[in-house]
């Protein structure tokens, strides 16, 4: 059985991530992320200083803040028009190139399998702008940021051999909005299914055909807890089906979370309607109930998805101690066996 690592892994260094993952999961993994150390540990918070430093953007004079992080919301600088906004490097390409060197060294030492790919996890433009920008200026900033992210994908693909690379989109804010449950985290400006799928079509077109593409359907992970719990897998299946149609290239895998309490058939039943024919990974691994709980969720899921790999429901760095991260990786290995 294959294992997927969503992105963040709360170990001390990239070398430790590659060594530990290779030792415990080497024969089960097709791709490996660098663990998102340092400033990327808090996902898109890595981009807040970048946005704040732009001459086109300023803290909103109203004093409005992000509900979770309490970061001041950002708006256009006075006198700046939408057509003037331009972003340069976002930092993700430079963050990828250093760990790729470590990845090559780890494979050379035998710490990782020769055939494993280097997985670069990126937020969508909505993942960043919907988190930090005011509703008033959101669409103007978002358009410029999306263009910058497309250029960033080009830089990553120019710096890493395509046959060794996988790009993963972290599809979080879109998933929470499209789920339709009451929430006050994000603005809902222009966030219909059709609009979101057009966005995914544009950014995915930037990934060359010989680079793998994956999507992590995410419900947020603030303080190691979902911002919103999915009612069942129905909306995720609808989103995956729409994405499979909209994106004009193969999506190699899709990842879907599974809350720890969901061992009921009603949660998994919508999987029977999934049209995606690439790899499917289900976030059935949880530390609190270990291998036994993981197997319970796997047994129910098999009734509706005969073939899938396993994963956590999100990254495993947020609010995680090193010994807990080690334990989670061991649960993946034992359940996969």
């Amino acid at each position: 059985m294959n294992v997927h690592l969503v992105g963040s892994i709360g170990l001390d260094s990239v070398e430790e991530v590659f060594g530990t993952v290779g030792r415990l999961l080497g024969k089960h993994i097709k791709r490996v992320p660098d663990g998102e150390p340092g400033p990327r540990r808090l996902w898109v918070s890595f981009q807040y200083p970048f946005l704040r430093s732009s001459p086109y953007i300023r803290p909103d004079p109203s004093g409005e803040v992000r509900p979770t992080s309490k970061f001041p919301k950002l708006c256009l600088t006075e006198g700046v028009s939408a057509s003037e906004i331009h972003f340069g490097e976002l930092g993700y390409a430079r963050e990828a190139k250093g760990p790729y060197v470590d990845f090559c060294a780890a494979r050379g030492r035998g710490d990782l399998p020769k055939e494993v790919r280097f997985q670069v996890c990126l937020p969508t433009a909505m993942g960043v702008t919907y988190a930090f920008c005011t509703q008033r200026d959101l669409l103007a900033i978002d358009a410029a940021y999306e263009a910058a992210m497309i250029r960033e994908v080009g830089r990553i693909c120019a710096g890493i051999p395509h046959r060794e690379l996988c790009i993963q989109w972290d599809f979080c804010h879109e998933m929470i909005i499209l789920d339709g449950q009451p929430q006050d985290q994000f603005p809902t400006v222009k966030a219909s299914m059709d609009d979101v799928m057009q966005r995914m079509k544009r950014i995915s077109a930037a990934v060359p055909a010989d680079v793998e593409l994956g999507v992590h359907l995410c419900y947020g992970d603030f303080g190691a807890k979902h911002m919103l719990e999915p009612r069942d897998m129905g909306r995720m299946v609808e989103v995956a089906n729409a994405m499979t149609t909209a994106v004009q290239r193969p999506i190699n895998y899709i990842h879907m979370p599974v809350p720890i309490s969901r061992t009921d058939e009603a949660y998994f039943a919508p999987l029977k309607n999934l049209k995606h024919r690439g790899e499917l990974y289900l976030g059935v691994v949880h530390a609190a109930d270990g291998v036994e709980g993981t197997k319970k969720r796997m047994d129910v899921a098999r009734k509706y998805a005969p073939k899938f790999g396993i994963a956590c429901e999100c990254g495993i760095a947020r609010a995680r101690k090193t010994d807990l991260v080690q334990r989670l990786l061991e649960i993946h290995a034992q359940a996969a066996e």
Side-chain angles (χ1 to χ4, degrees), residues 163-321:
R163 67 184 181 279
E164 300 179 3
L165 179 62
C166 171
I167 299 289
Q168 173 181 291
W169 292 120
D170 294 339
F171 187 89
C172 179
H173 299 170
E174 299 95 328
M175 191 66 245
I176 293 174
I177 292 169
L178 292 175
D179 183 273
Q181 296 185 55
Q183 57 85 26
D184 60 0
Q185 296 292 325
F186 312 113
T188 55
V189 173
K190 202 175 181 183
S192 68
M193 179 73 83
D194 287 345
D195 177 68
V196 170
M197 290 307 125
Q198 286 304 308
R199 292 166 181 258
M200 288 301 294
K201 179 179 179 180
R202 290 193 297 268
I203 62 176
S204 297
V207 182
D210 52 351
V211 174
E212 286 192 339
L213 176 66
V215 180
H216 159 45
L217 302 184
C218 180
Y219 276 75
D221 182 29
F222 192 80
K225 183 178 179 181
H226 274 165
M227 295 177 183
L228 192 72
E229 292 288 3
R231 290 167 289 197
D232 58 36
M233 303 196 88
R235 197 56 169 163
M236 286 184 277
V237 167
E238 290 179 24
V239 166
N241 288 345
M243 204 176 290
T244 298
T245 300
V247 174
Q248 301 297 299
R249 56 145 292 158
I251 299 175
N252 297 88
Y253 67 86
I254 292 177
H255 168 271
M256 301 181 181
V258 180
I260 189 171
S261 61
R262 302 307 294 267
T263 56
D264 56 298
E265 293 193 26
Y267 184 80
F268 296 95
L271 285 173
K272 64 187 178 185
N273 300 317
L274 183 64
K275 297 177 182 178
H276 169 68
R277 293 296 175 258
E279 298 165 48
L280 172 66
Y281 290 93
L282 300 180
V284 293
V285 178
H286 292 268
D289 59 5
V291 177
E292 182 179 352
T294 298
K295 288 182 176 179
K296 287 181 181 178
R297 288 180 284 275
M298 290 167 64
D299 288 343
V300 181
R302 279 196 189 96
K303 298 179 181 181
Y304 302 98
K307 188 175 182 181
F308 60 87
I310 62 173
C312 280
E313 62 180 353
C314 201
I316 53 174
R318 194 79 60 88
R320 306 287 190 187
K321 296 181 180 178

Side-chain angles (χ1 to χ4, degrees), residues 92-168:
Y92 286 104
R94 292 190 181 276
E95 286 285 321
K97 290 175 184 177
Y100 173 69
V101 173
D102 299 322
F103 168 80
C104 293
R107 285 191 311 175
R109 291 191 301 268
D111 291 348
L112 291 171
K114 292 290 185 184
E115 65 276 10
V116 73
R117 287 192 182 227
F118 182 60
Q119 176 182 320
V120 177
C121 306
L122 299 171
T124 64
M126 282 182 70
V128 176
T129 59
Y130 273 55
F132 301 130
C133 300
T134 59
Q135 183 156 326
R136 180 183 67 254
D137 294 332
L138 175 63
L139 293 181
I141 297 171
D142 182 79
Y145 190 90
E146 181 184 283
M149 181 58 78
I150 289 171
R151 292 191 294 271
E152 199 75 3
V153 169
R155 293 186 185 99
I156 293 169
C157 295
I160 298 174
H162 291 187
R163 67 184 181 279
E164 300 179 3
L165 179 62
C166 171
I167 299 289
Q168 173 181 291

Side-chain angles (χ1 to χ4, degrees), residues 42 45 48 65-72 131-132 185 222 227:
L42 290 178
S45 295
Y48 188 83
V65 299
R66 176 92 163 89
T68 49
S69 65
K70 307 304 180 185
F71 288 172
F132 301 130
Q185 296 292 325
F222 192 80
M227 295 177 183

